[in-house]
Amino acid sequence: MKYFVIAGEPSGDLHASNLLRALKEQDADANFMGLGGDLMQQQGCQLVQHYRDMAYMGFVEVILHLRTILGIMSNAKKAMQDYKPDVVILVDYPSFNLRLAEYVKKEMPGTPVFYYIAPKVWAWKSWRVKKISKYVDRVFSILPFEVEWFGKRGCEVSYVGNPCVDAVEAREHKGENLETFSARTGVPTDKPLLALLPGSRVRELAHNLPDMLAAAAAYPQFRIVVAGAPAMDHQLYEQYTKGYDCNIVYGETYQLLQQAHAAIVTSGTATLETGLMRVPQVVVYQIDGGRVAYWILRKLVKVKHVSLVNLIADREVVTELLGHFFNAESVKAELKKIIAPAPEREKMLAEYDQLIELLGKEPVSQRAAREMIERLKQIKK
């Protein structure tokens, strides 16, 4: 079968690539085209567009790059028409993907649309669920509580597990020691490592990395190591790290976390990955507009927590510093609680163990691929 897959950021590229691998194992005739990154390409996906050209966030940034975004969308539509896929698989990236889902249903009738890693509409922009129920044939959920939430709103949905579990388990260089990691990356072994995960978008780097670095620098007994997204311009990271005694490693996030004593993590998928790697963390995210914007956001957001660790546990496992609560001093204070042997650190590690048990270790990509193929066979009958 022919699969058209759309992922618009590094985490989506990673999870989509694992899904493609599983689809190939279960469908000998699998053929792939789509939008994504290097990892999808390595699984044989013919890329229409790389995600590095799609990494725009926020209203202003989108408006400034609107012509580029519309051009990418036009290219994607033409590629789908020419390719004539048996199914279109969307991976997160809702603003872009839901527009394409609507296009497929209107202009390519009969082509099923699957959503793998659905947008978090239960937390933000819940009106999008109407489009999902209208234009998406089935949601393959990665969070247990989503099944009931989407199901009550008219969506066909099934829980297949969380792909972060697969990705962490299948990571390269699993089990290597610090000396081996150092030999590969050039990171010195003179101090324990403090990992900074600032995100993979230009805006995230600008808003998050400076305060992360300032907070981390208050603990000179640690070596600061920044996790860089491989598709990003390296100079973007270097302009912020200039003047700090730190290292940057690109495309080695799991390997870095494997060696890290603690981490400062931008809210997103990385918070769950850090939890699965059992690294104590402080979760941060800057919001434009200061206190007013934060107050408005908290009124609009429908959930108590934003990090996946806390959302899945349904309680505060890791500290979240958002908006005006995120600054160098607040992060420094929270780091102090988790870098030394202390009740807070031990409690977080124990909570991580419960999280890992809750998510289980069933191969998620294999299960999702099997359900997708079975459903496609039913549709074709």
Side-chain angles (χ1 to χ4, degrees):
M1 282 186 280
K2 297 164 72 174
Y3 304 84
F4 196 97
V5 185
I6 307 169
E9 50 199 347
S11 61
D13 177 41
L14 171 64
H15 299 317
S17 70
N18 289 331
L19 176 64
L20 299 191
R21 183 187 296 111
L23 286 168
K24 286 194 298 185
E25 292 174 2
Q26 299 181 41
D27 178 4
D29 298 319
N31 187 280
F32 307 118
M33 179 181 283
L35 289 74
D38 298 343
L39 298 177
M40 288 172 60
Q41 198 167 31
Q42 289 170 16
Q43 294 303 318
C45 183
Q46 180 183 343
L47 289 187
V48 177
Q49 198 85 37
H50 199 286
Y51 69 70
R52 72 169 69 93
D53 303 318
M54 304 161 62
Y56 302 115
M57 286 184 67
F59 178 78
V60 175
E61 193 173 354
V62 169
I63 292 298
L64 291 175
H65 297 89
L66 187 58
R67 181 176 295 181
T68 300
I69 295 169
L70 292 176
I72 293 171
M73 192 168 292
S74 178
N75 291 340
K77 292 175 180 178
K78 184 178 186 307
M80 284 192 292
Q81 288 284 3
D82 293 342
Y83 185 59
K84 295 179 173 56
D86 292 291
V87 61
V88 173
I89 301 175
L90 312 175
V91 184
D92 205 352
Y93 207 57
S95 295
F96 189 90
N97 274 338
L98 285 175
R99 284 177 172 81
L100 287 185
E102 181 176 359
Y103 173 82
V104 172
K105 284 302 168 188
K106 289 181 178 179
E107 304 298 331
M108 301 172 64
T111 303
V113 176
F114 293 163
Y115 221 128
Y116 181 56
I117 310 181
K120 300 173 183 64
V121 289
W122 34 263
W124 176 250
K125 298 183 179 179
S126 58
W127 50 265
R128 281 176 167 166
V129 74
K130 294 180 180 179
K131 287 191 174 183
I132 294 173
S133 64
K134 187 174 183 180
Y135 302 125
V136 174
D137 293 275
R138 192 165 192 86
V139 173
F140 294 85
S141 167
I142 64 167
L143 296 170
F145 62 82
E146 287 184 335
V147 174
E148 181 180 3
W149 194 93
F150 278 110
K152 285 183 175 179
R153 289 158 179 82
C155 301
E156 294 290 329
V157 58
S158 57
Y159 174 66
V160 293
N162 197 289
C164 288
V165 177
D166 283 7
V168 167
E169 187 66 23
R171 66 187 181 275
E172 293 183 351
H173 307 291
K174 183 179 179 182
E176 74 175 349
N177 58 29
L178 180 57
E179 287 70 25
T180 307
F181 175 75
S182 173
R184 284 194 306 102
T185 63
V187 174
T189 61
D190 56 336
K191 304 174 183 178
L193 306 188
L194 179 55
L196 309 189
L197 279 61
S200 58
R201 297 183 174 99
V202 174
R203 178 187 173 280
E204 289 177 328
L205 292 187
H207 285 254
N208 300 328
L209 189 51
D211 281 330
M212 285 179 158
L213 286 163
Y219 297 95
Q221 68 269 37
F222 291 92
R223 170 144 311 268
I224 303 169
V225 187
V226 178
M232 291 282 282
D233 185 345
H234 293 191
Q235 291 184 349
L236 290 173
Y237 291 92
E238 292 164 2
Q239 72 181 15
Y240 297 113
T241 58
K242 187 177 181 180
Y244 287 98
D245 182 17
C246 69
N247 295 82
I248 310 171
V249 295
Y250 295 93
E252 296 266 358
T253 300
Y254 289 165
Q255 292 71 31
L256 168 59
L257 287 172
Q258 191 168 249
Q259 307 303 329
H261 181 77
I264 308 172
V265 185
T266 295
S267 182
T269 305
T271 62
L272 179 56
E273 294 167 329
T274 303
L276 291 172
M277 297 288 286
R278 299 188 79 254
V279 180
Q281 64 182 303
V282 180
V283 176
V284 302
Y285 204 84
Q286 191 55 268
I287 302 168
D288 292 326
R291 293 174 181 269
V292 174
Y294 177 83
W295 181 82
I296 294 172
L297 187 65
R298 294 310 294 180
K299 292 292 183 182
L300 294 174
V301 171
K302 303 292 194 298
V303 291
K304 294 182 291 185
H305 310 291
V306 298
S307 70
L308 285 173
V309 170
N310 291 346
L311 281 166
I312 295 171
D314 195 28
R315 60 184 179 275
E316 185 177 281
V317 174
V318 298
T319 298
E320 300 174 352
L321 299 174
L322 312 176
H324 62 284
F325 290 105
F326 167 36
N327 54 62
E329 288 301 313
S330 63
V331 177
K332 185 171 72 172
E334 292 300 326
L335 272 179
K336 186 177 181 180
K337 300 175 184 177
I338 63 171
I339 60 175
E344 291 89 348
R345 180 180 174 90
E346 296 307 313
K347 182 175 184 293
M348 191 178 295
L349 291 172
E351 296 271 18
Y352 282 165
D353 291 336
Q354 294 180 31
L355 175 75
I356 292 167
E357 185 177 349
L358 175 64
L359 291 175
K361 290 191 175 182
E362 182 180 1
V364 178
S365 303
Q366 292 288 340
R367 179 175 171 181
R370 182 178 66 252
E371 289 196 18
M372 287 181 184
I373 291 170
E374 289 175 354
R375 187 157 184 85
L376 287 172
K377 289 178 178 178
Q378 294 173 1
I379 291 173
K380 287 179 173 292
K381 285 182 180 180

